[in-house]
Amino acid sequence: MGFQLGLFSPNTESGLAITTAPERWHATWDNNLRLGRLADEAGIDFLLPVARWTDWGPDTDFHRSALDPLVWASGLLAATSRIRVFSTVHTAFHHPVVAAKQLATADHLSKGRIGLNIVAGWHAPEYEMFGLTLPNDHDTRYALAQEWWDVVKRIWSTDEPFDHEGQFFQLKHVVGRPKPYNGHSLPVINAGSSAQGRSFAARNADRAFTVVGGPEDGAEIVKAIRAEAASHGRTVGVFTLGHVVCRPTRTEAEDFLRYYADEQADWPAVDEVMRLQGLHAQSFTPEMLQVYRDRFAAGHGSCPLVGDPDDVADGLAAFASAGFDGIALSFLNYADELGYFAAEVMPRLRARGVLSADRHETAPPPRT
């Protein structure tokens, strides 16, 4: 299948950029529909949403609004013809019987193009919204996620009614139809960067989606996840995430990054996001949180891909060389910047052999 390119978090206000810059992404449905069609034409492989239920406080617009991932995915699947669209599902907030039917229905709607991103949850204010208590330990969160996924898989693979007596779910006479469009399951990503999250992906997912510092430390993480998957008799690929600022010259790209991620950065929101990440998530180590403040402003702590088209292509090629199977990207304004990326960077990746030459793509008009 080769190295894959995706777009991450366009269903949320401002995407991954914690900034007040007026050019930032506005996550309206019309903007997402435009972006989905552009990405489909350009040969982008997948779209991946964030499941966000509450905001980051009254003093920031970052993630002030977020489109529901499953409804968003269903709408985009109906409006596109080729691209895979994932739905991100919080196992603590979605009952497995309901989720199994919703996902299978969307899979039929799209003739097999939906994917599932399983997340165990970490954001305490969201748990409070639902009247739940966030477990202090990751083991409990992932034990629930495992049981949730076991129930969903059984619904999709079993024709006869069944009972389930577990730690978190007690279910009677469970049935679920339709089954997924192409069989008994969907392509599964697990977004997790803690030890428990990466282990869950190794046991259950087709792709682990994980935060890394860059290609260098990422190469070791890829090896570790694949080795653990192999110990379970499985093969698992690895995706990571990055933010792109691509302009005709490196100076222009660096100047624009400085403008939106320093001069216009929403620093109080950056600090609040980092505080909650440090309290409740293990996606970033304490050392990473100490040095990544600028990265959070630019792209929620993701890896920077900044420069001219050759710089960005080189950066993406380095991830492919490190063993990654793909990367989910963000832009300050996805729809306005995707055309230039598709016209300038993607041909360079094909020339380097990072992207397969037979990918279906019609690049949208470039915009700088």
Side-chain angles (χ1 to χ4, degrees):
M1 186 176 293
F3 194 76
Q4 293 194 305
L5 299 175
L7 301 178
F8 185 42
S9 197
N11 67 309
T12 60
E13 187 71 10
S14 203
L16 294 186
I18 310 179
T19 180
T20 62
E23 303 94 328
R24 69 187 183 276
W25 178 246
H26 296 295
T28 65
W29 170 246
D30 286 344
N31 281 345
N32 273 272
L33 182 59
R34 174 184 168 220
L35 175 64
R37 287 170 169 163
L38 288 172
D40 198 37
E41 294 170 0
I44 297 296
D45 295 290
F46 64 92
L47 303 174
L48 179 62
V50 166
R52 180 63 62 236
W53 297 97
T54 189
D55 55 37
W56 297 97
D59 300 323
T60 180
D61 284 333
F62 180 62
H63 289 184
R64 173 72 65 201
S65 174
L67 299 175
D68 174 78
L70 184 58
V71 178
W72 171 89
S74 299
L76 290 176
L77 287 164
T80 56
S81 61
R82 179 200 56 80
I83 197 167
R84 184 170 300 284
V85 185
F86 285 86
S87 177
T88 297
V89 177
H90 272 129
T91 56
F93 305 156
H94 293 80
H95 195 282
V97 175
V98 176
K101 183 175 286 291
Q102 290 175 327
L103 290 160
T105 299
D107 204 35
H108 281 264
L109 177 154
S110 63
K111 293 183 169 54
R113 288 190 292 120
I114 197 169
L116 168 60
N117 176 30
I118 300 173
V119 292
W122 64 270
H123 192 31
E126 292 182 336
Y127 278 75
E128 294 168 2
M129 256 181 74
F130 282 89
L132 302 172
T133 300
L134 173 69
N136 289 326
D137 63 298
H138 272 49
D139 290 338
T140 300
R141 299 180 214 173
Y142 277 99
L144 187 152
Q146 186 66 63
E147 187 175 331
W148 183 96
W149 178 228
D150 290 342
V151 171
V152 171
K153 285 190 298 181
R154 190 171 179 186
I155 291 170
W156 285 343
S157 61
T158 302
D159 290 323
E160 298 301 320
F162 66 90
D163 297 341
H164 175 87
E165 290 292 334
Q167 179 182 357
F168 303 98
F169 301 103
Q170 295 78 45
L171 313 173
K172 299 292 185 182
H173 310 299
V174 179
V175 294
R177 297 182 183 84
K179 309 301 184 187
Y181 182 77
N182 288 318
H184 298 318
S185 192
L186 309 177
V188 173
I189 289 177
N190 171 240
S193 298
S194 64
Q196 294 91 339
R198 288 168 176 164
S199 181
F200 180 92
R203 296 192 312 271
N204 298 283
D206 301 298
R207 296 285 185 270
F209 181 55
T210 192
V211 172
V212 298
E216 297 78 13
D217 75 296
E220 295 305 312
I221 291 169
V222 168
K223 290 177 184 176
I225 292 173
R226 287 182 171 161
E228 184 169 355
S231 73
H232 298 291
R234 305 185 71 249
T235 301
V236 173
V238 184
F239 288 167
T240 192
L241 57 156
H243 56 276
V244 176
V245 182
C246 187
R247 296 294 186 272
T249 69
R250 185 181 303 172
T251 297
E252 289 175 273
E254 291 173 345
D255 286 347
F256 190 72
L257 177 69
R258 186 179 309 109
Y259 158 71
Y260 89 78
D262 184 4
E263 298 168 12
Q264 298 290 323
D266 187 347
W267 290 118
V270 169
D271 292 337
E272 178 63 4
V273 171
M274 294 182 69
R275 183 185 74 83
L276 286 168
Q277 289 271 181
L279 281 175
H280 302 301
Q282 294 178 11
S283 297
F284 299 87
T285 66
E287 293 77 17
M288 292 167 78
L289 288 171
Q290 286 178 1
V291 301
Y292 275 17
R293 194 164 181 253
D294 291 342
R295 283 196 185 189
F296 267 83
H300 209 301
S302 61
C303 295
L305 294 156
V306 179
D308 62 29
D310 285 315
D311 293 326
V312 174
D314 289 345
L316 289 166
F319 281 104
S321 296
F324 286 90
D325 297 270
I327 189 167
L329 304 172
S330 68
F331 298 81
L332 179 67
N333 188 302
Y334 298 84
D336 285 353
E337 298 178 59
L338 180 60
Y340 186 73
F341 177 87
E344 296 294 335
V345 177
M346 291 175 68
R348 287 168 165 82
L349 292 174
R350 288 196 300 274
R352 288 164 168 77
V354 175
L355 301 182
S356 60
D358 59 351
R359 296 161 66 94
H360 169 77
E361 54 195 62
T362 303
R367 294 182 62 170
T368 60

